[in-house]
């Protein structure tokens, strides 16, 4: 993309309404625009990051054997009356009446609807196990929408639902989700720690939240510092293996890590004092096992091997896709702007032309642009007629991990400059070598 043809409405001023870095930076970098409290348009740069995150979530869900579908945002109230949650959900639910006076709602989550889809089609244990998921907009009329996309009213969520014959199988689905989430967040450059949590309106006793540590996080968390040494890395996991998933769950959840809702002073006292950490975190996902809470009242039954009808065991599993954009920025920025991890960056690298209009410099930039594009990469070429300082400031603000700077002086020596946004370190190399370096960096992402 050439910057002169793009839509990147960056702001010079720091928006006064934004209290935390990610919100400020998303507004300044022209990623989002607020349309109403907690409701945002995703401008081209923000939309690109959202889609990169969504793509990683899809890939990791499907790697774990989960099947994508798409349910609507607007749901009929009847389904929620069947489960008993229509009244229980309270003022967070956006209730709508259609022209025929039918009660509808903008879905805050989809347990009821997926249970309805399941019961309409499946009646035998032979069709289990099954996990269906979608990535769809949700609406929760939060009392205090704030921090930009972190606590929105309209937000984008991956929500998945497992259907199993037995509690044991459903707990395997729970473990499998935990494993796939560890991998998902790491691909985004994040460390998200699974912590024992409270299940709230979704229900059930088994639940873990995934928290990214950040001073601006909304949740207070208590954990054993040893937990931050754990890395999932590039382990190959057999997601069908109960033992393999259970072992990973044990590895990542056996140390103390809880949100304030489940914090227990007596158990906490057993953690060696020098390893106790009290911090804040951003909840980027949550997994639940709730057994037959929905299948029983809604009649989602299957015939078991013994011929008897039994309600299926279920759980649901959520990832805050739009919240993740903010969470990644909270975890990765400096005073100049965002620093995107390679896994989610909106463009793979920037090209800065130091002398727009100089024919040799323009030609070198064009040839870099074509070489990167031909390699399947997306560069953002700053071809504006602007001072170098302004170009560097924009690149630093929008946070592309790599920048190639091209100017007449370097070209005389046959070099361009490759700069890492994260370290600020630069090196001079030929344009061909710079392309190879960038290709190499992204080959492993
Ligand atoms: C699990 C999937 C559920 O709704 N039902 C389907 C279960 N869980 S949850 O924890 O309530 O939400 C899942 C994740 O969605 C994100 N999230 C939000 N993001 C932005 N703004 C909000 N207002 C908001 N509310 C929830 C969180 O990341 C949460 O973990």
């Amino acid at each position: 993309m050439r910057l002169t043809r793009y839509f990147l409405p960056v702001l010079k001023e720091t928006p006064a309404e934004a209290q935390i870095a990610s919100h400020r930076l998303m507004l300044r970098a022209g990623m989002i625009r607020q349309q109403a409290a907690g409701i945002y348009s995703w401008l081209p740069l923000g939309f690109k990051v959202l889609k990169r995150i969504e793509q990683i979530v899809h890939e990791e869900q499907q790697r774990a054997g989960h099947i994508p579908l798409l349910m609507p945002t607007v749901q009929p109230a009847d389904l929620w009356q069947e489960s008993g949650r229509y009244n229980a959900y309270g003022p967070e639910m956006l209730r709508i009446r259609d022209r025929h006076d039918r009660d509808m709602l903008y879905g805050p989550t989809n347990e009821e609807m997926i249970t309805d889809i399941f019961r309409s089609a499946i009646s035998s244990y032979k069709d289990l196990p099954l996990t269906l998921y979608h990535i769809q907009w949700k609406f929760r009329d939060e009392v205090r929408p704030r921090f930009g996309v972190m606590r929105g009213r309209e937000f984008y969520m991956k929500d998945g639902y497992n259907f199993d014959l037995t509690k044991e199988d459903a707990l395997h689905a729970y473990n499998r989700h935990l494993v796939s989430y560890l991998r998902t967040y790491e691909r985004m450059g994040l460390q998200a720690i699974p912590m024992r949590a409270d299940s709230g309106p979704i229900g059930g006793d088994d639940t873990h939240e995934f928290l990214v540590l950040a001073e601006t996080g909304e949740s207070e968390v208590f954990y054993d510092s040893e937990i931050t040494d754990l890395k999932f890395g590039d382990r190959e996991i057999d997601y069908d293996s109960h033992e393999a998933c259970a072992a990973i769950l044990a590895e990542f959840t056996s140390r103390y890590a809880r949100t304030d809702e489940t914090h227990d002073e007596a158990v906490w006292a057993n953690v060696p004092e020098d390893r106790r950490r009290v911090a804040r975190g951003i909840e980027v996902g949550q997994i639940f096992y709730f057994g037959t809470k929905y299948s029983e009242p809604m009649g989602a039954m299957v015939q078991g091997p013994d011929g008897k009808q039994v309600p299926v065991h279920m759980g649901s599993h959520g990832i805050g896709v739009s919240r993740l954009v903010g969470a990644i920025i909270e975890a990765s920025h400096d005073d100049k702007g965002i620093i995107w991890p390679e896994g989610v960056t909106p463009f793979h690298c920037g090209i800065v032309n130091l002398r727009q209009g100089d024919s040799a410099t323009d030609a070198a930039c064009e040839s870099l642009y074509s070489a990167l594009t031909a390699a399947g990469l997306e560069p953002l070429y700053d071809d504006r007629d602007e001072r170098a300082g302004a170009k560097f400031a924009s690149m630093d603000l929008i946070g592309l991990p790599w920048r190639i700077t091209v100017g007449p002086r370097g070209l005389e020596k046959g070099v361009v400059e490759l700069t890492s946004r994260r370290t600020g370190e630069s090196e001079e190399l030929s344009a061909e070598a710079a392309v190879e370096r960038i290709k190499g960096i992204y080959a492993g992402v």
Side-chain angles (χ1 to χ4, degrees):
M1 181 56 64
R2 290 159 210 277
L3 202 46
T4 52
R5 299 198 193 155
Y6 201 44
F7 180 66
L8 185 70
V10 297
L11 305 179
K12 294 224 166 54
E13 308 298 319
T14 299
E17 74 271 24
Q19 298 158 22
I20 62 170
S22 58
H23 189 194
R24 270 196 303 275
L25 289 169
M26 286 183 77
L27 291 169
R28 282 191 53 211
M31 294 177 65
I32 50 169
R33 175 171 173 78
Q34 184 177 312
Q35 307 292 171
I39 301 180
Y40 292 87
S41 287
W42 290 78
L43 305 182
L45 192 75
F47 184 57
K48 256 173 144 340
V49 178
L50 189 69
K51 289 287 148 186
R52 294 288 312 268
I53 293 174
E54 179 178 356
Q55 181 60 27
I56 293 176
V57 173
H58 272 300
E59 285 171 17
E60 294 305 326
Q61 284 302 300
Q62 289 172 47
R63 193 194 298 275
H66 306 160
I67 300 172
L69 81 171
L70 185 60
M71 292 176 270
T73 53
V74 176
Q75 307 185 15
D78 321 10
L79 285 178
W80 290 66
Q81 263 138 5
E82 282 189 57
S83 72
R85 278 207 298 182
Y86 189 59
N87 294 327
Y89 217 92
E92 266 198 15
M93 179 185 278
L94 180 63
R95 294 155 206 265
I96 308 164
R97 186 155 295 157
D98 74 9
R99 67 200 299 165
H100 305 293
D101 259 357
R102 277 188 286 252
D103 287 322
M104 313 288 283
L105 56 103
Y106 193 121
T109 176
N110 286 59
E111 280 79 6
E112 284 77 0
M113 188 170 278
I114 200 82
T115 306
D116 176 60
I117 291 173
F118 177 89
R119 72 180 171 188
S120 73
I122 290 196
S123 53
S124 162
Y125 76 96
K126 290 182 188 151
D127 293 324
L128 304 182
L130 179 67
T131 294
L132 299 169
Y133 79 93
H134 73 162
I135 303 183
Q136 177 61 293
W137 293 95
K138 304 287 185 288
F139 196 96
R140 292 183 186 171
D141 208 348
E142 301 275 351
V143 199
R144 282 221 292 164
R146 57 178 184 160
F147 301 158
V149 301
M150 290 281 212
R151 182 163 296 278
R153 291 198 295 164
E154 191 185 41
F155 61 97
Y156 207 35
M157 190 205 285
K158 186 288 291 191
D159 41 325
Y161 306 85
N162 67 282
F163 300 91
D164 288 278
L165 179 63
T166 62
K167 176 171 182 180
E168 193 209 329
D169 288 350
L171 288 175
H172 167 59
Y174 183 92
N175 299 351
R176 188 179 66 231
H177 276 88
L178 185 134
V179 175
S180 77
Y181 280 23
L182 291 170
R183 201 182 153 108
T184 303
Y185 297 121
E186 274 196 23
R187 277 189 64 186
M188 298 173 191
L190 285 177
Q191 180 168 41
I193 305 172
M195 301 200 182
R196 282 267 291 276
D198 182 63
S199 68
I202 306 293
D205 297 326
D206 292 277
T207 183
H208 280 90
E209 282 181 7
F210 286 76
L211 287 115
V212 173
L213 298 175
E215 279 166 26
T216 49
E218 289 190 287
S219 320
E220 186 172 36
V221 297
F222 301 79
Y223 64 95
D224 178 338
S225 64
E226 277 192 347
I227 212 160
T228 54
D229 298 334
L230 299 173
K231 298 275 175 299
F232 188 78
D234 50 10
R235 306 180 208 194
E236 285 297 333
I237 297 294
D238 174 3
Y239 281 105
D240 290 333
S241 160
H242 288 215
E243 296 72 32
C245 292
I248 304 269
L249 175 118
E251 179 184 344
F252 281 82
T253 62
S254 56
R255 292 175 185 77
Y256 193 94
R258 297 191 187 191
T259 62
D260 51 3
E261 298 154 342
T262 54
H263 179 57
D264 181 336
E265 284 293 337
V267 189
W268 183 232
N270 298 330
V271 179
E273 205 170 341
D274 61 324
R275 296 199 333 231
R276 286 184 218 157
R277 300 283 183 279
V278 182
R280 303 200 69 80
I282 302 166
E283 180 204 325
V284 291
Q286 188 164 3
I287 54 177
F288 302 82
Y289 163 72
F290 43 68
T292 58
K293 174 176 170 173
Y294 301 89
S295 55
E296 220 167 281
M298 295 185 67
M301 316 286 281
V302 290
Q303 187 170 47
D306 55 3
K308 287 203 187 105
Q309 291 285 322
V310 285
V312 287
H313 284 259
M314 292 174 60
S316 71
H317 315 277
I319 293 184
V321 176
S322 50
R323 176 177 288 181
L324 271 165
V325 181
I328 292 168
I329 299 175
E330 282 306 316
S332 185
H333 69 272
D334 62 16
D335 52 5
K336 294 192 220 134
I338 303 166
I339 307 173
W340 291 115
E342 274 90 358
V344 300
T345 184
F347 293 96
H348 296 103
C349 71
I351 302 174
V352 169
N353 184 333
L354 291 179
R355 186 81 57 82
Q356 205 71 45
D358 170 69
S359 57
T361 315
D362 290 357
C365 288
E366 288 297 337
S367 123
L368 262 174
Y369 187 85
S370 321
L372 289 162
T373 309
L377 296 166
E378 270 191 283
L380 180 66
Y381 172 22
D382 190 344
D383 57 345
R384 295 172 303 165
D385 190 10
E386 278 280 359
R387 288 176 303 110
K391 291 190 175 186
F392 290 148
S394 301
M395 281 293 174
D396 285 346
L397 173 63
I398 67 171
L400 309 184
W402 298 94
R403 185 185 82 205
I404 304 177
T405 310
V406 185
R409 239 180 291 156
L411 289 178
E412 270 169 30
K413 292 190 284 173
V415 296
V416 297
E417 191 183 59
L418 179 64
T419 308
S420 154
R421 174 69 181 85
R422 189 168 293 281
T423 64
E425 279 163 24
S426 289
E427 75 178 277
E428 292 193 332
L429 68 189
S430 71
E432 295 72 30
V435 171
E436 286 309 311
R437 279 286 303 282
I438 303 272
K439 270 163 71 175
I441 288 162
Y442 287 101
V445 171

